[in-house]
Amino acid sequence: MRKFFAGLATLQLLAVVAQFFLAASGAFDTAPNDESFQPHRTLGAGIVLLAVLVTIFAATARMPGRLIGMSGLVAGLAVVQAVIREIASAFDGTGGSTTAGELVFGLHALNGLAILAVAVRIVRQARQLSRPATPVRQAP
């Protein structure tokens, strides 16, 4: 069960890395618009679901409490991503983005980096816990 959890956590990490790629693809599109970011938004929703699944598996695999908490943190931070987007949109005027909206939206990228950092830490700890314990030799 722990190896499966480690694999699922790795899948989550790969999805987060792909999320950065999709964000850059949308931003550097020849004519970036709302439609350019649709794959980014779709994967974001998938990451929320995957993070909830990772949290459930962390609990059922009897992982340490801190690892279960970090798994839930990814889900929470992923939800915060959508909240940041909505707050930034509320600052935007009808004619386009405002400075305040752009500053708030900058938090979206910082929060994404936090998600990446937590996902990396989860994978490292999950891999370490899924390895078989090495027997300790006693000196003769």
Side-chain angles (χ1 to χ4, degrees):
M1 189 74 146
R2 287 183 174 216
K3 284 189 179 193
F4 182 77
F5 172 76
L8 197 59
T10 302
L11 178 65
Q12 177 180 260
L13 176 60
L14 292 174
V16 171
V17 170
Q19 188 71 327
F20 276 93
F21 172 79
L22 292 175
S25 294
F28 295 110
D29 195 355
T30 53
N33 56 28
D34 205 39
E35 190 176 300
S36 302
F37 290 98
Q38 189 57 41
H40 177 72
R41 277 192 297 278
T42 302
L43 183 58
I47 288 173
V48 171
L49 295 175
L50 186 57
V52 169
L53 191 63
V54 167
T55 305
I56 291 169
F57 271 95
T60 57
R62 298 186 183 264
M63 297 304 238
R66 180 172 283 192
L67 194 54
I68 296 169
M70 284 193 305
S71 299
L73 180 61
V74 170
L77 289 173
V79 170
V80 169
Q81 287 290 77
V83 172
I84 290 170
R85 180 180 181 270
E86 291 303 316
I87 291 171
S89 296
F91 280 109
D92 289 347
T94 55
S97 63
T98 63
T99 303
E102 289 172 3
L103 289 173
V104 170
F105 202 68
L107 296 174
H108 186 78
L110 294 177
N111 191 47
L113 289 173
I115 292 170
L116 179 63
V118 174
V120 166
R121 189 155 183 201
I122 291 170
V123 168
R124 284 184 180 164
Q125 288 184 9
R127 282 183 164 176
Q128 186 178 27
L129 290 170
S130 68
R131 290 187 188 124
T134 55
V136 178
R137 289 189 187 181
Q138 294 182 358

